[in-house]
Every structure is written in C-alpha cells, then in structure tokens.
Amino acid sequence: DSGVTQTPKHLITATGQRVTLRCSPRSGDLSVYWYQQSLDQGLQFLIQYYNGEERAKGNILERFSAQQFPDLHSELNLSSLELGDSALYFCASSAPSTGPNTGELFFGEGSRLTVL
Amino acid sequence: AQTVTQSQPEMSVQEAETVTLSCTYDTSESDYYLFWYKQPPSRQMILVIRQEAYKQQNATENRFSVNFQKAAKSFSLKISDSQLGDAAMYFCAFGFTGNQFYFGTGTSLTVIP
C-alpha cells in the first residue's frame, strides 16, 4: 500500500459528460502529480501541485483542470469528455513535509475512466 | 530539455537467466534521483529500485541492481535469476523532490518459462 488513495477506481460515462477524480496523497506529502496512461502507452504527465500551488504543467488539455486543496488532497476535473479520454489516470505524491525523504513518487492504484 | 530514453520497447528473457534493460537520460542538473518502476498487468506502478545521483555506489535490491554511469547519463537495470513474476512494463525515470519527474516510454519484459 503506497498510502496514496484515488477514487473512484472505475468510472464509465458518456461523451460530453464531466467527471471529477479525487486523490488523497500520502500523509504529509506536499506534492501531487497527475498522469494519464492510455492503453499500451506510457505515462503522460498532466500537472503537478506543490502545497496548494501549481508547479508544473504538462500536456493537459484545456478541457481538463485540477486543483490542490488546503488539506493537500487534489481533484482532476475532466469535462466535455471524448472517446479518446478513456484511460487510466494516476495520482502520485512526493516531498514529505516531515521525516525521511526517499525522493520517490508514490503512486495510487489509478482511476480507470471509460468514455462510451 | 529533460528527457529519458528507453531504446528497447520489448525484451525477453528465459526464466532464471539475467537481463539488462537500458536507460539514458539528459539533464543539466547535478542532484536528482533515478528510479525504475515496474507496471505488471494489474497496471499498478511499483518502485523497483532507486538511486541518488550523488552516490557513486550502484543500488541493489535483492535480484535487481543498477549500473549508474553519471557522466554518461546512463542508468541500466539488471534483473538476475528472472522469475515469471518479473514480466511487466518497466519505466525508467528521474526527478527532483518537489519538482517534476520524467519518465521513459517503457520496456515490456517477457519472461519465457
């Protein structure tokens, strides 16, 4: 168990709809990352937050948005969904505020989104 | 630009044999971490091994070891005594605490019984 919790684990929706994916980072981790992984593809970096502020942005579509809240949990909002948005969305966390820092990314189990 | 290159999209190894997965990267930074992550069919991302760039000694974790060549920006993964459970996609990555991480495109490893 990485300590990173993602909900929901599975989500099926229709084109044009909007969904919200939620991530609770490992206790004390300040940084949250979102990645998209389509079938048989690599990890596409979407966005990173550090202690509530956006720190880095990758190939995130304008239809997608994210935020990190004061309690450090994060949400990824996907709107006007298209068939091509079907993918596994990973949240990861790092940068502990206390204790040893191993430098690694801790991944959640992912939210599997299917757009029909 | 920060990049990670895994030049072997697919590799295969006989059970109990040894295989080496290649990874090169590019960064102008001097202090960073390097990782190998494993993604089995369950698609969970599992850390295999990590290396601090300032350490010259190569990291080892049981049957997994790395060959870290900082000047050459090379970070290969050696799997000894390969097991069926090692079959997975392997991603090489480097990153900086609190900042961005960079991943390669992955190497799909097949273990032949």
Side-chain angles (χ1 to χ4, degrees):
Chain A
D1 183 6
S2 67
V4 178
T5 303
Q6 290 188 246
T7 57
K9 286 186 169 39
H10 301 276
L11 188 57
I12 301 174
T13 189
T15 55
Q17 295 298 304
R18 172 189 171 94
V19 299
T20 297
L21 308 181
R22 194 179 192 279
C23 171
S24 293
R26 213 170 57 117
S27 178
D29 279 1
L30 297 171
S31 198
V32 168
Y33 304 74
W34 286 98
Y35 292 88
Q36 178 193 56
Q37 187 181 37
S38 302
L39 195 61
D40 295 331
Q41 298 293 312
L43 292 168
Q44 295 296 319
F45 170 65
L46 296 178
I47 198 164
Q48 179 208 354
Y49 284 84
Y50 184 90
N51 204 18
E53 296 197 359
E54 181 184 306
R55 178 159 284 195
K57 185 178 281 191
N59 299 321
I60 187 167
L61 300 172
E62 286 191 7
R63 300 183 287 108
F64 296 0
S65 65
Q67 56 183 323
Q68 186 180 28
F69 295 87
D71 66 352
L72 300 178
H73 91 272
S74 178
E75 293 181 356
L76 178 66
N77 300 296
L78 315 175
S79 62
S80 303
L81 285 167
E82 303 175 358
L83 296 177
D85 297 327
S86 295
L88 186 58
Y89 291 84
F90 282 109
C91 172
S93 73
S94 76
S97 55
T98 60
N101 179 14
T102 60
E104 70 190 83
L105 273 180
F106 293 87
F107 282 86
E109 294 185 353
S111 292
R112 192 180 303 271
L113 173 66
T114 302
V115 182
L116 300 175
Chain B
Q2 326 261 22
T3 59
V4 179
T5 301
Q6 293 180 248
S7 58
Q8 308 151 317
E10 297 179 351
M11 293 279 286
S12 62
V13 61
Q14 290 284 145
E15 195 175 3
E17 297 295 310
T18 295
V19 65
T20 298
L21 308 184
S22 300
C23 173
T24 59
Y25 60 95
D26 191 21
T27 180
S28 58
E29 304 293 331
S30 60
D31 190 15
Y32 47 89
Y33 293 91
L34 293 145
F35 311 94
W36 279 95
Y37 282 89
K38 168 185 176 180
Q39 188 177 41
S42 67
R43 300 189 78 183
Q44 186 175 356
M45 293 289 287
I46 302 166
L47 179 70
V48 175
I49 198 165
R50 56 184 285 276
Q51 170 91 39
E52 292 99 328
Y54 68 87
K55 287 188 177 179
Q56 292 187 337
Q57 185 173 5
N58 290 323
T60 62
E61 285 288 341
N62 301 313
R63 298 182 295 107
F64 299 87
S65 62
V66 298
N67 184 1
F68 174 44
Q69 303 289 330
K70 189 172 185 179
K73 296 180 182 175
S74 171
F75 185 62
S76 61
L77 174 70
K78 185 171 81 172
I79 306 174
S80 303
D81 185 25
S82 296
Q83 300 176 359
L84 295 178
D86 295 334
M89 181 72 82
Y90 287 82
F91 292 99
C92 176
F94 79 93
F96 316 87
T97 298
N99 288 292
Q100 199 168 342
F101 285 71
Y102 300 86
F103 284 81
T105 51
T107 296
S108 178
L109 179 66
T110 300
V111 180
I112 303 167

